[in-house]
Every structure is written in structure tokens, then in C-alpha cells.
Amino acid sequence: MAKKDYYATLGVSRNASEREIKQAYRRLARQHHPDVNAGDKSAEAKFKEINEAYEVLSSKEKREKYDKYGDQWQYADQFEQAQRQQTPFRDFGHAGGATGFRFEGEDMGSLFNDLLFGGGRARTYTRRTRAMRGRDIETPVEVTLEEAFHGTTRTISIQTEEPCPACKGTGLLQNVPCSACQGTGRVPRMKRLEVKIPAGVKTGSRVRIAGKGQPGYNGGTSGDLYLVVSVRAHRQFERRGDDLYVEVPVPLTVAVLGGEVQVPTMKGKLALKIPPETQNGRSFRLAGQGMPHPGNSSRGDMFARVNVVLPTKLSDREKELFQQLSKLRS
Ligand SMILES: [Zn+2]
């Protein structure tokens, strides 16, 4: 590919203003217009060149890309995207980020060849088969507290990539960048996947599914898939870390005289002994009845908070007894 210098074509300097570029274009376009050079092939070619140069330099966006990437300016977006893919950990707050890529000279040219023609048999281009790891994918998953307790599975849809069927992943059709994939060799694809969510996840947990992210380039490894978990609030249990909190209604007589109540847990009801004269609001700890902890066998606790229920709709006899009690206690 011959290098084109659009500034030289229009005869302006690299820092020419929009107005200067426009003036230069008008002057040259008049001079080389096919209408005034009928049958002159070289004028026709020159006219095309001028128009191409003006199309790029008159657009602020295209001119910026051209200034940065030269001949390869049309692939600026792909290049920048690939560069982002090269630093998959940046999004996740890990260390890293330096890519070692240079934007000028040969290195960039060969990188473009990697991008455009990676994996293919592009005889007319030199290319470097630099292995690049595929990008990580993140997807949100909502689970109930019960599912977080037992662990669960989900079938999710993720957007991934696959080799472009038009160019068989080479990015190249008859030695020009493939239009179906803009020369990247890849096209997007929705993929359904069954994933396992381990017991003990909490809101904000990131479950890593290794190797299920975007496929790598040139034999590079695939990225990972991260499930970003949120656990729905439960109508009965409140979760703090691995511990669970629940309110237990205790009849007045049981609170005063002692007895037994049923406490709901994630695995069904448990009998709880209430000692005599238990105060309202007192908490009882049920060891090991909380949430499992991912990655080990430890479990949180359940805290049952006593909510003394005062009697209503008293009978005459009950009222009488409360009156007697009241005289005794005053
Ligand atoms: Zn293609």
C-alpha cells in the first residue's frame, strides 16, 4: 500500500486551518475537474485524490484519526478497541494497563496487520501473530436468599464473538479487508450458557467462570466471564455478612413463664427454649444456622429476636386476673 499524504495532496501544512484546507481544495478541484480536462486520465486521477484528501481533512473526526494513525485511520476504532481488549483487568480494578504498544512507525503497521489479517493467510501482507488474551465479560445475575443459601444454576445469554463466516476469520476477502466484519475477522454472537452459582454468594459477589469470556486472538487464551451477583431482599430474614436475623413472636405468657417457640431458619423450623422472664427484644443465637461461606465449610449464625406479643380481646376472666396481678405488682 502506497502511503498517502493528504496534506501534500492539497498542498497545505499539517497545521492548516479548516479555511485554508477548503480554499486549497476549491482551487485544486477547479484546476483538475474532469469537465475542464476532458479525456485527461491523469487529471481524473488527481481529481479523485484531491477529493479523497478533502473528505478526510475537512472532517474534524477523520482528520484527528488521520493525524494519529496515518494511512490506517479508517481502522482507528478497531485499533483502539483492540487496545482496550489488551488490558482486560483495568475494568476490574486490578493492577496493570501498560500495553507496550506504540502508535507510530512500523510497530503500529504490523499491529494493524495483526488486527486486520490475524490468523489468516494474507500472502501480500507481513503480519505478526501476536497472541492476545480475549476480553473478560461481565453480566449481572439476581438470586433469591434461598438460592444464595443452597447455590443454584442459571441459563444466561451473553454477547460474545466468533470467527466471521464471510472471511473465515481471516479479516480478508480477496486481499482487501472483509466488509462483513470490517476486517476484524470476528462477528458478534449471542451465546446461551448454563452457569453455576455457588452457595454463600452475596450482593456484589463476582463469580468467575474461567475461559467463558471473549475468545483470544492468534491463539491467545479466552477471557473470563464474571457473574456480578445481587441477592434479593427476603421478606423474613435480614442478612448481615454471613449472619441472619429474624423476629420471633413470643406470647406474653411464654415470655413471663418460659416455654418453647418455633424459629424459622433456611432449613425449616427449629424449637427455641425461652427462659422465664424473657424481655422483649432479647436475641438468641442459633449457632451455625446462618449463611454458608463460599469456599469453606464455615457458616454464619441465626439471631432470633424476641417480639413479645401482648394479648388482645381479653375475656372477663382474663381481665379479672390481670386486675389481680396489677394490685399485686403495685
Ligand atoms: Zn470477515
Side-chain angles (χ1 to χ4, degrees), residues 121 160-173 178-189:
R121 296 180 299 273
T160 176
E161 290 172 339
E162 64 178 6
C164 170
C167 61
K168 298 188 169 54
T170 60
L172 208 61
L173 272 181
C178 165
S179 59
C181 59
Q182 283 85 46
T184 59
R186 301 177 159 219
V187 289
R189 186 168 81 102

Side-chain angles (χ1 to χ4, degrees), residues 180-202:
C181 59
Q182 283 85 46
T184 59
R186 301 177 159 219
V187 289
R189 186 168 81 102
M190 288 304 283
K191 198 160 121 189
R192 282 167 76 78
L193 202 67
E194 186 165 294
V195 293
K196 206 162 170 273
I197 297 161
V201 290
K202 52 192 76 170

Side-chain angles (χ1 to χ4, degrees), residues 97-152:
T99 64
F101 284 3
R102 285 188 297 119
F103 284 86
E104 68 285 318
E106 262 183 27
D107 198 22
M108 189 186 80
S110 62
L111 173 64
F112 273 113
N113 287 330
D114 281 357
L115 293 175
L116 299 180
F117 315 118
R121 296 180 299 273
R123 287 181 306 274
T124 53
Y125 298 93
T126 55
R127 63 183 179 87
R128 195 180 299 172
T129 49
R130 191 198 310 251
M132 287 204 295
R133 183 180 179 274
R135 196 159 46 87
D136 291 336
I137 301 177
E138 263 188 52
T139 192
V141 174
E142 195 187 54
V143 298
T144 63
L145 190 65
E146 283 84 358
E147 288 176 317
F149 183 82
H150 296 290
T152 186

